[in-house]
Amino acid sequence: MNPTISGIPVEYILILACIVFTIGVAGVLFRRSAVVIFMSVELILNSVNLVFVTFSKALQQVQGEVIVFFVMAIAAAEAAIGLALVVAIQRRKKTSFVDEMNLMKW
Amino acid sequence: MVGIFDHPQLLLFFVFSGVLIAGALGVVFHPNPISSAVLLVLAFFALAGIYAVLGSVFVATMQVLVYAGAIMVLVVFVLMLLSLHDDGISKLWKHPAKKFFLLFFVAILGIVLTNAVREGVPNSQSPAHGYSSSGEYEYSIAAENGGLSKPKTVRGNTAVVGASMFLDYLLPFEVLSVLLLAAVLGAVILGKKNLGKKPGEGDL
């Protein structure tokens, strides 16, 4: 099998995916606005997609590229539900900042 | 080590990677959420470029259509609906325990990364699926009815991915359609005005 994909070593792409994943996690941890947190989750999902495509090409199995479309559909459903939740909470609590939502604290 | 001059794709990969990382950092650290959304679109386009360089053209197209198009329109729409003032980095940044755990995870990530780079990625020796022996996209569809119809072979990225999705993964595909329907219904219900509020009752 080939350790490079059209001249690009697999390791480079995996490191790139790791970096993007870490940036996404940092966004989830450090931002206050719920919508920006959703955008960071999209970054995380995209880094996972990149890993799927990379291994699909490296192992020459087309299934990885199929699963990418499933992940995209899940991301679309998550965006629809999540953003609807944000709008609903915004209507009630007049804020979209997650550190001001203390509904489930005891 | 692979030289840039042997493989011009490597240069493209580095350019797209730089744009992607810069865009992702911008999403997280830009104080204005609208600018974050625009930078996220930039990151999505760069990622589509990386997919194209890797040779997965169909995934690259869908990345632009679905992510940079549909999902980002939704996000920007909600951003416009909400308050627009600056957000800033969270106060959680000052929390010492969270800082400690972040550094901890970054250290583990660094160890795993250096290990993976030193040892390389193991490649499985399982028979290829969706690829011909020469490494091109190719998918053979078996004959039906005991050989009444001839076996077919499809070629090309889009055709092979589509054939695999609708032949190997038909059940997950249908389950996903049900999930999307449920998501749409849930979004409509959540978007109703008086959610969980009895008439005459005040705000929570």
Side-chain angles (χ1 to χ4, degrees), chain A residues 6 12 16 22-23 30-32 42 46 49-50 53 57 60-63 65 69-70 73 75 90, chain B residues 1 28 30 44 51 53-54 56 62-63 67 82 87 90 109 126-127 129 131 137 157 169 176:
Chain A
S6 61
Y12 289 9
L16 174 68
T22 312
I23 293 173
F30 295 141
R31 290 305 294 257
R32 299 172 64 206
E42 300 289 343
N46 271 284
N49 275 351
L50 183 57
V53 170
K57 299 291 285 188
Q60 300 210 330
Q61 309 268 331
V62 84
Q63 284 97 333
E65 291 185 39
F69 294 104
F70 292 149
Q90 161 85 13
Chain B
M1 221 34 162
V28 175
H30 203 288
F44 283 162
Y51 289 147
V53 171
L54 292 184
S56 303
M62 284 301 135
Q63 174 83 12
Y67 268 119
L82 301 182
D87 160 26
S90 166
L109 182 74
S126 59
H129 196 110
Y131 283 81
Y137 283 103
N157 189 348
Y169 291 92
L176 200 58

mmCIF file of all heavy atoms in Angstrom, chain A residues 6 12 16 22-23 30-32 42 46 49-50 53 57 60-63 65 69-70 73 75 90, chain B residues 1 28 30 44 51 53-54 56 62-63 67 82 87 90 109 126-127 129 131 137 157 169 176:
data_model
loop_
_atom_site.group_PDB
_atom_site.id
_atom_site.type_symbol
_atom_site.label_atom_id
_atom_site.label_comp_id
_atom_site.label_asym_id
_atom_site.label_seq_id
_atom_site.Cartn_x
_atom_site.Cartn_y
_atom_site.Cartn_z
ATOM 1 N N SER A 6 -1.088 10.886 -3.352
ATOM 2 C CA SER A 6 -0.709 11.813 -4.427
ATOM 3 C C SER A 6 0.430 12.726 -3.961
ATOM 4 O O SER A 6 0.382 13.946 -4.086
ATOM 5 C CB SER A 6 -1.902 12.624 -4.924
ATOM 6 O OG SER A 6 -2.456 13.401 -3.906
ATOM 7 N N TYR A 12 1.353 13.879 7.515
ATOM 8 C CA TYR A 12 1.112 15.327 7.450
ATOM 9 C C TYR A 12 -0.380 15.615 7.565
ATOM 10 O O TYR A 12 -0.812 16.509 8.290
ATOM 11 C CB TYR A 12 1.646 15.893 6.135
ATOM 12 C CG TYR A 12 3.142 15.936 6.004
ATOM 13 C CD1 TYR A 12 3.952 15.313 6.936
ATOM 14 C CD2 TYR A 12 3.747 16.613 4.949
ATOM 15 C CE1 TYR A 12 5.330 15.336 6.803
ATOM 16 C CE2 TYR A 12 5.116 16.649 4.822
ATOM 17 C CZ TYR A 12 5.902 15.998 5.753
ATOM 18 O OH TYR A 12 7.255 16.044 5.613
ATOM 19 N N LEU A 16 -2.409 17.596 10.482
ATOM 20 C CA LEU A 16 -3.301 18.724 10.196
ATOM 21 C C LEU A 16 -4.671 18.497 10.827
ATOM 22 O O LEU A 16 -5.240 19.404 11.459
ATOM 23 C CB LEU A 16 -3.433 18.900 8.684
ATOM 24 C CG LEU A 16 -4.447 19.959 8.244
ATOM 25 C CD1 LEU A 16 -3.968 21.334 8.613
ATOM 26 C CD2 LEU A 16 -4.704 19.882 6.768
ATOM 27 N N THR A 22 -7.934 20.064 17.674
ATOM 28 C CA THR A 22 -7.585 20.739 18.923
ATOM 29 C C THR A 22 -8.110 22.166 18.937
ATOM 30 O O THR A 22 -8.614 22.646 19.969
ATOM 31 C CB THR A 22 -6.061 20.728 19.096
ATOM 32 O OG1 THR A 22 -5.589 19.421 18.865
ATOM 33 C CG2 THR A 22 -5.684 21.166 20.485
ATOM 34 N N ILE A 23 -8.011 22.849 17.795
ATOM 35 C CA ILE A 23 -8.537 24.214 17.732
ATOM 36 C C ILE A 23 -10.040 24.205 17.984
ATOM 37 O O ILE A 23 -10.578 25.054 18.704
ATOM 38 C CB ILE A 23 -8.209 24.842 16.361
ATOM 39 C CG1 ILE A 23 -6.699 25.034 16.230
ATOM 40 C CG2 ILE A 23 -8.897 26.181 16.206
ATOM 41 C CD1 ILE A 23 -6.276 25.486 14.853
ATOM 42 N N PHE A 30 -13.625 27.653 25.252
ATOM 43 C CA PHE A 30 -13.289 29.027 25.629
ATOM 44 C C PHE A 30 -14.256 30.074 25.142
ATOM 45 O O PHE A 30 -14.164 31.224 25.544
ATOM 46 C CB PHE A 30 -11.888 29.384 25.134
ATOM 47 C CG PHE A 30 -10.830 28.577 25.776
ATOM 48 C CD1 PHE A 30 -9.745 28.123 25.059
ATOM 49 C CD2 PHE A 30 -10.926 28.252 27.108
ATOM 50 C CE1 PHE A 30 -8.776 27.368 25.658
ATOM 51 C CE2 PHE A 30 -9.963 27.491 27.720
ATOM 52 C CZ PHE A 30 -8.889 27.054 26.994
ATOM 53 N N ARG A 31 -15.179 29.741 24.260
ATOM 54 C CA ARG A 31 -16.075 30.790 23.776
ATOM 55 C C ARG A 31 -17.345 30.802 24.612
ATOM 56 O O ARG A 31 -17.756 29.772 25.143
ATOM 57 C CB ARG A 31 -16.413 30.570 22.306
ATOM 58 C CG ARG A 31 -15.243 30.811 21.391
ATOM 59 C CD ARG A 31 -14.630 32.164 21.549
ATOM 60 N NE ARG A 31 -15.506 33.238 21.147
ATOM 61 C CZ ARG A 31 -15.390 33.897 20.004
ATOM 62 N NH1 ARG A 31 -14.455 33.588 19.152
ATOM 63 N NH2 ARG A 31 -16.221 34.881 19.712
ATOM 64 N N ARG A 32 -17.957 31.982 24.691
ATOM 65 C CA ARG A 32 -19.174 32.103 25.481
ATOM 66 C C ARG A 32 -20.416 31.991 24.612
ATOM 67 O O ARG A 32 -21.447 31.497 25.061
ATOM 68 C CB ARG A 32 -19.190 33.451 26.196
ATOM 69 C CG ARG A 32 -18.049 33.634 27.154
ATOM 70 C CD ARG A 32 -18.015 35.037 27.673
ATOM 71 N NE ARG A 32 -19.203 35.333 28.456
ATOM 72 C CZ ARG A 32 -19.695 36.557 28.621
ATOM 73 N NH1 ARG A 32 -19.092 37.566 28.040
ATOM 74 N NH2 ARG A 32 -20.753 36.759 29.347
ATOM 75 N N GLU A 42 -18.496 22.165 14.409
ATOM 76 C CA GLU A 42 -18.373 21.875 12.976
ATOM 77 C C GLU A 42 -16.905 21.671 12.603
ATOM 78 O O GLU A 42 -16.579 20.805 11.774
ATOM 79 C CB GLU A 42 -18.953 23.033 12.155
ATOM 80 C CG GLU A 42 -20.413 23.325 12.411
ATOM 81 C CD GLU A 42 -21.330 22.262 11.858
ATOM 82 O OE1 GLU A 42 -20.878 21.485 11.013
ATOM 83 O OE2 GLU A 42 -22.486 22.205 12.282
ATOM 84 N N ASN A 46 -15.310 18.358 10.922
ATOM 85 C CA ASN A 46 -14.569 18.433 9.662
ATOM 86 C C ASN A 46 -13.213 17.777 9.772
ATOM 87 O O ASN A 46 -12.744 17.162 8.809
ATOM 88 C CB ASN A 46 -14.430 19.889 9.241
ATOM 89 C CG ASN A 46 -15.588 20.325 8.402
ATOM 90 O OD1 ASN A 46 -15.657 19.979 7.239
ATOM 91 N ND2 ASN A 46 -16.520 21.026 8.992
ATOM 92 N N ASN A 49 -13.784 14.220 9.347
ATOM 93 C CA ASN A 49 -13.999 13.918 7.924
ATOM 94 C C ASN A 49 -12.680 13.798 7.187
ATOM 95 O O ASN A 49 -12.508 12.916 6.337
ATOM 96 C CB ASN A 49 -14.833 15.029 7.286
ATOM 97 C CG ASN A 49 -16.301 14.804 7.481
ATOM 98 O OD1 ASN A 49 -16.699 13.751 7.947
ATOM 99 N ND2 ASN A 49 -17.095 15.788 7.140
ATOM 100 N N LEU A 50 -11.749 14.701 7.518
ATOM 101 C CA LEU A 50 -10.445 14.667 6.842
ATOM 102 C C LEU A 50 -9.727 13.353 7.140
ATOM 103 O O LEU A 50 -9.117 12.751 6.246
ATOM 104 C CB LEU A 50 -9.615 15.862 7.306
ATOM 105 C CG LEU A 50 -8.252 16.024 6.638
ATOM 106 C CD1 LEU A 50 -8.418 16.120 5.139
ATOM 107 C CD2 LEU A 50 -7.539 17.238 7.160
ATOM 108 N N VAL A 53 -11.332 10.575 5.000
ATOM 109 C CA VAL A 53 -10.902 10.600 3.594
ATOM 110 C C VAL A 53 -9.465 10.124 3.474
ATOM 111 O O VAL A 53 -9.115 9.353 2.571
ATOM 112 C CB VAL A 53 -11.063 12.030 3.032
ATOM 113 C CG1 VAL A 53 -10.396 12.131 1.674
ATOM 114 C CG2 VAL A 53 -12.512 12.377 2.906
ATOM 115 N N LYS A 57 -8.279 6.836 1.349
ATOM 116 C CA LYS A 57 -7.327 6.817 0.243
ATOM 117 C C LYS A 57 -6.124 5.924 0.557
ATOM 118 O O LYS A 57 -5.649 5.192 -0.307
ATOM 119 C CB LYS A 57 -6.846 8.238 -0.053
ATOM 120 C CG LYS A 57 -7.916 9.194 -0.468
ATOM 121 C CD LYS A 57 -8.474 8.873 -1.816
ATOM 122 C CE LYS A 57 -7.510 9.264 -2.914
ATOM 123 N NZ LYS A 57 -8.166 9.123 -4.240
ATOM 124 N N GLN A 60 -7.130 2.339 0.501
ATOM 125 C CA GLN A 60 -7.842 2.016 -0.735
ATOM 126 C C GLN A 60 -9.159 1.297 -0.452
ATOM 127 O O GLN A 60 -9.464 0.248 -1.026
ATOM 128 C CB GLN A 60 -6.964 1.176 -1.644
ATOM 129 C CG GLN A 60 -5.690 1.898 -2.030
ATOM 130 C CD GLN A 60 -5.182 1.494 -3.372
ATOM 131 O OE1 GLN A 60 -5.384 0.378 -3.795
ATOM 132 N NE2 GLN A 60 -4.522 2.397 -4.062
ATOM 133 N N GLN A 61 -9.908 1.836 0.494
ATOM 134 C CA GLN A 61 -11.249 1.335 0.774
ATOM 135 C C GLN A 61 -12.189 2.529 0.610
ATOM 136 O O GLN A 61 -11.996 3.563 1.251
ATOM 137 C CB GLN A 61 -11.341 0.830 2.212
ATOM 138 C CG GLN A 61 -10.268 -0.141 2.597
ATOM 139 C CD GLN A 61 -10.687 -1.565 2.360
ATOM 140 O OE1 GLN A 61 -11.866 -1.882 2.416
ATOM 141 N NE2 GLN A 61 -9.728 -2.425 2.088
ATOM 142 N N VAL A 62 -13.199 2.389 -0.208
ATOM 143 C CA VAL A 62 -14.016 3.550 -0.528
ATOM 144 C C VAL A 62 -15.024 3.876 0.581
ATOM 145 O O VAL A 62 -15.636 4.933 0.580
ATOM 146 C CB VAL A 62 -14.725 3.344 -1.887
ATOM 147 C CG1 VAL A 62 -16.006 2.560 -1.722
ATOM 148 C CG2 VAL A 62 -14.985 4.669 -2.558
ATOM 149 N N GLN A 63 -15.166 2.973 1.564
ATOM 150 C CA GLN A 63 -16.170 3.173 2.612
ATOM 151 C C GLN A 63 -15.962 4.466 3.375
ATOM 152 O O GLN A 63 -16.919 5.123 3.775
ATOM 153 C CB GLN A 63 -16.145 2.009 3.609
ATOM 154 C CG GLN A 63 -16.785 0.748 3.098
ATOM 155 C CD GLN A 63 -15.742 -0.184 2.547
ATOM 156 O OE1 GLN A 63 -14.697 0.258 2.096
ATOM 157 N NE2 GLN A 63 -16.023 -1.466 2.585
ATOM 158 N N GLU A 65 -15.020 7.352 2.392
ATOM 159 C CA GLU A 65 -15.629 8.490 1.718
ATOM 160 C C GLU A 65 -17.143 8.439 1.809
ATOM 161 O O GLU A 65 -17.804 9.481 1.767
ATOM 162 C CB GLU A 65 -15.187 8.526 0.259
ATOM 163 C CG GLU A 65 -13.722 8.858 0.116
ATOM 164 C CD GLU A 65 -13.310 9.011 -1.323
ATOM 165 O OE1 GLU A 65 -14.087 9.570 -2.094
ATOM 166 O OE2 GLU A 65 -12.201 8.569 -1.664
ATOM 167 N N PHE A 69 -20.183 11.356 4.043
ATOM 168 C CA PHE A 69 -21.497 11.940 3.737
ATOM 169 C C PHE A 69 -22.472 11.729 4.878
ATOM 170 O O PHE A 69 -23.310 12.595 5.163
ATOM 171 C CB PHE A 69 -22.034 11.348 2.438
ATOM 172 C CG PHE A 69 -21.206 11.726 1.273
ATOM 173 C CD1 PHE A 69 -20.332 10.841 0.704
ATOM 174 C CD2 PHE A 69 -21.258 13.019 0.787
ATOM 175 C CE1 PHE A 69 -19.537 11.212 -0.343
ATOM 176 C CE2 PHE A 69 -20.465 13.397 -0.254
ATOM 177 C CZ PHE A 69 -19.594 12.494 -0.829
ATOM 178 N N PHE A 70 -22.347 10.586 5.563
ATOM 179 C CA PHE A 70 -23.192 10.380 6.744
ATOM 180 C C PHE A 70 -22.856 11.410 7.814
ATOM 181 O O PHE A 70 -23.755 11.986 8.447
ATOM 182 C CB PHE A 70 -23.007 8.960 7.273
ATOM 183 C CG PHE A 70 -23.546 7.907 6.340
ATOM 184 C CD1 PHE A 70 -22.985 6.652 6.273
ATOM 185 C CD2 PHE A 70 -24.619 8.193 5.525
ATOM 186 C CE1 PHE A 70 -23.478 5.700 5.419
ATOM 187 C CE2 PHE A 70 -25.127 7.253 4.665
ATOM 188 C CZ PHE A 70 -24.557 6.000 4.607
ATOM 189 N N ALA A 73 -24.404 14.670 6.964
ATOM 190 C CA ALA A 73 -25.851 14.706 7.223
ATOM 191 C C ALA A 73 -26.115 14.850 8.714
ATOM 192 O O ALA A 73 -26.995 15.621 9.125
ATOM 193 C CB ALA A 73 -26.501 13.438 6.685
ATOM 194 N N ALA A 75 -24.141 16.308 10.789
ATOM 195 C CA ALA A 75 -23.791 17.683 11.126
ATOM 196 C C ALA A 75 -24.923 18.629 10.752
ATOM 197 O O ALA A 75 -25.220 19.580 11.492
ATOM 198 C CB ALA A 75 -22.502 18.080 10.416
ATOM 199 N N GLN A 90 -32.707 31.768 23.613
ATOM 200 C CA GLN A 90 -32.562 33.226 23.486
ATOM 201 C C GLN A 90 -33.890 33.929 23.755
ATOM 202 O O GLN A 90 -33.948 34.970 24.402
ATOM 203 C CB GLN A 90 -32.068 33.530 22.074
ATOM 204 C CG GLN A 90 -32.281 34.956 21.603
ATOM 205 C CD GLN A 90 -31.158 35.850 22.045
ATOM 206 O OE1 GLN A 90 -30.132 35.382 22.477
ATOM 207 N NE2 GLN A 90 -31.362 37.154 21.939
ATOM 208 N N MET B 1 11.237 11.582 3.931
ATOM 209 C CA MET B 1 10.876 12.985 3.699
ATOM 210 C C MET B 1 10.603 13.191 2.204
ATOM 211 O O MET B 1 11.331 12.669 1.361
ATOM 212 C CB MET B 1 12.039 13.858 4.168
ATOM 213 C CG MET B 1 11.655 15.116 4.910
ATOM 214 S SD MET B 1 10.193 14.950 5.906
ATOM 215 C CE MET B 1 10.397 16.352 6.955
ATOM 216 N N VAL B 28 -11.977 30.638 16.388
ATOM 217 C CA VAL B 28 -11.978 30.512 17.845
ATOM 218 C C VAL B 28 -11.625 31.831 18.516
ATOM 219 O O VAL B 28 -12.212 32.190 19.538
ATOM 220 C CB VAL B 28 -10.996 29.400 18.264
ATOM 221 C CG1 VAL B 28 -10.882 29.339 19.768
ATOM 222 C CG2 VAL B 28 -11.473 28.078 17.730
ATOM 223 N N HIS B 30 -11.436 35.125 17.152
ATOM 224 C CA HIS B 30 -11.953 36.427 16.746
ATOM 225 C C HIS B 30 -13.105 36.823 17.666
ATOM 226 O O HIS B 30 -14.007 36.012 17.898
ATOM 227 C CB HIS B 30 -12.417 36.392 15.293
ATOM 228 C CG HIS B 30 -12.432 37.756 14.665
ATOM 229 N ND1 HIS B 30 -13.371 38.697 15.006
ATOM 230 C CD2 HIS B 30 -11.611 38.352 13.770
ATOM 231 C CE1 HIS B 30 -13.130 39.809 14.319
ATOM 232 N NE2 HIS B 30 -12.059 39.615 13.568
ATOM 233 N N PHE B 44 -13.673 26.133 5.534
ATOM 234 C CA PHE B 44 -14.353 25.059 4.814
ATOM 235 C C PHE B 44 -13.881 24.996 3.365
ATOM 236 O O PHE B 44 -13.675 23.909 2.817
ATOM 237 C CB PHE B 44 -15.861 25.256 4.863
ATOM 238 C CG PHE B 44 -16.471 24.861 6.174
ATOM 239 C CD1 PHE B 44 -17.726 25.305 6.535
ATOM 240 C CD2 PHE B 44 -15.782 24.053 7.055
ATOM 241 C CE1 PHE B 44 -18.287 24.937 7.747
ATOM 242 C CE2 PHE B 44 -16.326 23.688 8.256
ATOM 243 C CZ PHE B 44 -17.588 24.132 8.599
ATOM 244 N N TYR B 51 -9.318 18.250 0.079
ATOM 245 C CA TYR B 51 -9.970 17.049 -0.453
ATOM 246 C C TYR B 51 -9.685 16.906 -1.941
ATOM 247 O O TYR B 51 -9.421 15.805 -2.439
ATOM 248 C CB TYR B 51 -11.480 17.111 -0.233
ATOM 249 C CG TYR B 51 -11.927 16.950 1.198
ATOM 250 C CD1 TYR B 51 -13.048 17.612 1.670
ATOM 251 C CD2 TYR B 51 -11.238 16.140 2.075
ATOM 252 C CE1 TYR B 51 -13.467 17.477 2.975
ATOM 253 C CE2 TYR B 51 -11.642 16.005 3.372
ATOM 254 C CZ TYR B 51 -12.761 16.672 3.813
ATOM 255 O OH TYR B 51 -13.172 16.532 5.101
ATOM 256 N N VAL B 53 -7.122 18.063 -3.608
ATOM 257 C CA VAL B 53 -5.724 17.673 -3.815
ATOM 258 C C VAL B 53 -5.554 16.185 -3.550
ATOM 259 O O VAL B 53 -4.826 15.484 -4.260
ATOM 260 C CB VAL B 53 -4.810 18.505 -2.908
ATOM 261 C CG1 VAL B 53 -3.391 17.973 -2.950
ATOM 262 C CG2 VAL B 53 -4.813 19.950 -3.344
ATOM 263 N N LEU B 54 -6.256 15.677 -2.542
ATOM 264 C CA LEU B 54 -6.148 14.254 -2.219
ATOM 265 C C LEU B 54 -6.801 13.379 -3.288
ATOM 266 O O LEU B 54 -6.569 12.182 -3.326
ATOM 267 C CB LEU B 54 -6.818 13.958 -0.878
ATOM 268 C CG LEU B 54 -6.152 14.525 0.360
ATOM 269 C CD1 LEU B 54 -6.872 14.066 1.599
ATOM 270 C CD2 LEU B 54 -4.713 14.103 0.409
ATOM 271 N N SER B 56 -10.293 13.230 -3.798
ATOM 272 C CA SER B 56 -11.688 12.904 -3.498
ATOM 273 C C SER B 56 -12.560 14.060 -3.970
ATOM 274 O O SER B 56 -12.952 14.917 -3.191
ATOM 275 C CB SER B 56 -11.881 12.668 -2.006
ATOM 276 O OG SER B 56 -11.032 11.647 -1.581
ATOM 277 N N MET B 62 -19.158 18.247 -2.269
ATOM 278 C CA MET B 62 -20.189 18.244 -1.228
ATOM 279 C C MET B 62 -19.789 19.147 -0.059
ATOM 280 O O MET B 62 -20.649 19.742 0.590
ATOM 281 C CB MET B 62 -20.411 16.814 -0.740
ATOM 282 C CG MET B 62 -21.214 15.982 -1.695
ATOM 283 S SD MET B 62 -22.817 16.718 -1.957
ATOM 284 C CE MET B 62 -22.933 16.590 -3.711
ATOM 285 N N GLN B 63 -18.478 19.230 0.207
ATOM 286 C CA GLN B 63 -18.016 20.123 1.266
ATOM 287 C C GLN B 63 -18.431 21.567 0.965
ATOM 288 O O GLN B 63 -18.946 22.270 1.827
ATOM 289 C CB GLN B 63 -16.495 20.022 1.367
ATOM 290 C CG GLN B 63 -15.845 20.991 2.319
ATOM 291 C CD GLN B 63 -15.899 20.496 3.735
ATOM 292 O OE1 GLN B 63 -16.226 19.357 3.973
ATOM 293 N NE2 GLN B 63 -15.598 21.372 4.667
ATOM 294 N N TYR B 67 -21.475 22.254 3.498
ATOM 295 C CA TYR B 67 -20.932 23.015 4.631
ATOM 296 C C TYR B 67 -20.878 24.498 4.325
ATOM 297 O O TYR B 67 -21.518 25.310 4.990
ATOM 298 C CB TYR B 67 -19.539 22.503 4.985
ATOM 299 C CG TYR B 67 -19.569 21.429 6.031
ATOM 300 C CD1 TYR B 67 -19.087 20.171 5.766
ATOM 301 C CD2 TYR B 67 -20.087 21.698 7.285
ATOM 302 C CE1 TYR B 67 -19.110 19.187 6.718
ATOM 303 C CE2 TYR B 67 -20.113 20.715 8.239
ATOM 304 C CZ TYR B 67 -19.617 19.467 7.951
ATOM 305 O OH TYR B 67 -19.653 18.495 8.903
ATOM 306 N N LEU B 82 -29.763 36.765 16.572
ATOM 307 C CA LEU B 82 -29.381 36.968 17.969
ATOM 308 C C LEU B 82 -28.729 38.330 18.124
ATOM 309 O O LEU B 82 -28.640 39.124 17.208
ATOM 310 C CB LEU B 82 -28.421 35.865 18.412
ATOM 311 C CG LEU B 82 -28.963 34.439 18.309
ATOM 312 C CD1 LEU B 82 -27.918 33.473 18.815
ATOM 313 C CD2 LEU B 82 -30.239 34.294 19.081
ATOM 314 N N ASP B 87 -18.390 39.259 21.744
ATOM 315 C CA ASP B 87 -18.509 38.139 22.666
ATOM 316 C C ASP B 87 -17.257 38.051 23.527
ATOM 317 O O ASP B 87 -17.321 38.047 24.747
ATOM 318 C CB ASP B 87 -18.735 36.874 21.819
ATOM 319 C CG ASP B 87 -18.413 35.613 22.549
ATOM 320 O OD1 ASP B 87 -18.494 35.611 23.781
ATOM 321 O OD2 ASP B 87 -18.104 34.637 21.876
ATOM 322 N N SER B 90 -13.995 33.587 26.669
ATOM 323 C CA SER B 90 -14.756 33.346 27.895
ATOM 324 C C SER B 90 -13.964 33.637 29.152
ATOM 325 O O SER B 90 -12.731 33.643 29.172
ATOM 326 C CB SER B 90 -15.178 31.882 27.895
ATOM 327 O OG SER B 90 -15.613 31.516 29.169
ATOM 328 N N LEU B 109 -1.722 14.893 23.552
ATOM 329 C CA LEU B 109 -1.793 14.972 22.094
ATOM 330 C C LEU B 109 -0.395 15.043 21.495
ATOM 331 O O LEU B 109 -0.095 14.375 20.498
ATOM 332 C CB LEU B 109 -2.611 16.193 21.695
ATOM 333 C CG LEU B 109 -2.825 16.382 20.202
ATOM 334 C CD1 LEU B 109 -3.817 15.379 19.696
ATOM 335 C CD2 LEU B 109 -3.296 17.778 19.900
ATOM 336 N N SER B 126 -5.681 -5.717 3.916
ATOM 337 C CA SER B 126 -6.955 -6.295 3.510
ATOM 338 C C SER B 126 -7.215 -5.966 2.040
ATOM 339 O O SER B 126 -6.703 -4.987 1.517
ATOM 340 C CB SER B 126 -8.073 -5.725 4.380
ATOM 341 O OG SER B 126 -8.108 -4.343 4.234
ATOM 342 N N PRO B 127 -8.007 -6.815 1.372
ATOM 343 C CA PRO B 127 -8.262 -6.557 -0.046
ATOM 344 C C PRO B 127 -8.985 -5.230 -0.238
ATOM 345 O O PRO B 127 -9.855 -4.857 0.549
ATOM 346 C CB PRO B 127 -9.145 -7.741 -0.459
ATOM 347 C CG PRO B 127 -9.710 -8.257 0.804
ATOM 348 C CD PRO B 127 -8.692 -8.011 1.855
ATOM 349 N N HIS B 129 -11.412 -2.334 -1.475
ATOM 350 C CA HIS B 129 -12.834 -2.309 -1.799
ATOM 351 C C HIS B 129 -13.136 -0.967 -2.451
ATOM 352 O O HIS B 129 -12.934 0.071 -1.854
ATOM 353 C CB HIS B 129 -13.670 -2.486 -0.531
ATOM 354 C CG HIS B 129 -15.079 -2.849 -0.816
ATOM 355 N ND1 HIS B 129 -15.590 -4.092 -0.538
ATOM 356 C CD2 HIS B 129 -16.072 -2.155 -1.389
ATOM 357 C CE1 HIS B 129 -16.854 -4.125 -0.918
ATOM 358 N NE2 HIS B 129 -17.165 -2.960 -1.435
ATOM 359 N N TYR B 131 -11.617 -0.012 -5.128
ATOM 360 C CA TYR B 131 -10.448 0.373 -5.912
ATOM 361 C C TYR B 131 -10.043 -0.798 -6.791
ATOM 362 O O TYR B 131 -10.170 -1.958 -6.400
ATOM 363 C CB TYR B 131 -9.279 0.732 -5.005
ATOM 364 C CG TYR B 131 -9.388 2.091 -4.370
ATOM 365 C CD1 TYR B 131 -10.170 2.281 -3.252
ATOM 366 C CD2 TYR B 131 -8.699 3.167 -4.901
ATOM 367 C CE1 TYR B 131 -10.268 3.518 -2.679
ATOM 368 C CE2 TYR B 131 -8.787 4.403 -4.319
ATOM 369 C CZ TYR B 131 -9.579 4.583 -3.213
ATOM 370 O OH TYR B 131 -9.681 5.807 -2.647
ATOM 371 N N TYR B 137 -10.363 4.304 -8.899
ATOM 372 C CA TYR B 137 -11.704 4.029 -8.381
ATOM 373 C C TYR B 137 -12.423 3.058 -9.315
ATOM 374 O O TYR B 137 -12.515 3.293 -10.519
ATOM 375 C CB TYR B 137 -12.524 5.317 -8.293
ATOM 376 C CG TYR B 137 -12.168 6.184 -7.137
ATOM 377 C CD1 TYR B 137 -11.396 7.319 -7.299
ATOM 378 C CD2 TYR B 137 -12.628 5.874 -5.867
ATOM 379 C CE1 TYR B 137 -11.078 8.126 -6.229
ATOM 380 C CE2 TYR B 137 -12.315 6.672 -4.790
ATOM 381 C CZ TYR B 137 -11.544 7.796 -4.975
ATOM 382 O OH TYR B 137 -11.242 8.580 -3.917
ATOM 383 N N ASN B 157 -14.777 8.593 -9.255
ATOM 384 C CA ASN B 157 -14.988 8.829 -7.832
ATOM 385 C C ASN B 157 -16.466 8.878 -7.472
ATOM 386 O O ASN B 157 -16.943 8.139 -6.612
ATOM 387 C CB ASN B 157 -14.308 10.148 -7.452
ATOM 388 C CG ASN B 157 -14.280 10.359 -5.965
ATOM 389 O OD1 ASN B 157 -14.941 9.654 -5.220
ATOM 390 N ND2 ASN B 157 -13.513 11.329 -5.535
ATOM 391 N N TYR B 169 -24.449 0.479 1.817
ATOM 392 C CA TYR B 169 -24.896 1.249 2.981
ATOM 393 C C TYR B 169 -26.316 1.761 2.796
ATOM 394 O O TYR B 169 -26.620 2.885 3.170
ATOM 395 C CB TYR B 169 -23.948 2.422 3.231
ATOM 396 C CG TYR B 169 -22.591 1.985 3.703
ATOM 397 C CD1 TYR B 169 -21.564 1.750 2.806
ATOM 398 C CD2 TYR B 169 -22.341 1.785 5.052
ATOM 399 C CE1 TYR B 169 -20.330 1.329 3.230
ATOM 400 C CE2 TYR B 169 -21.113 1.359 5.482
ATOM 401 C CZ TYR B 169 -20.115 1.138 4.572
ATOM 402 O OH TYR B 169 -18.897 0.708 5.009
ATOM 403 N N LEU B 176 -30.719 7.426 8.129
ATOM 404 C CA LEU B 176 -30.313 8.825 8.157
ATOM 405 C C LEU B 176 -31.432 9.730 7.655
ATOM 406 O O LEU B 176 -31.630 10.836 8.185
ATOM 407 C CB LEU B 176 -29.071 8.990 7.292
ATOM 408 C CG LEU B 176 -28.252 10.231 7.560
ATOM 409 C CD1 LEU B 176 -27.828 10.232 9.008
ATOM 410 C CD2 LEU B 176 -27.069 10.241 6.667
#
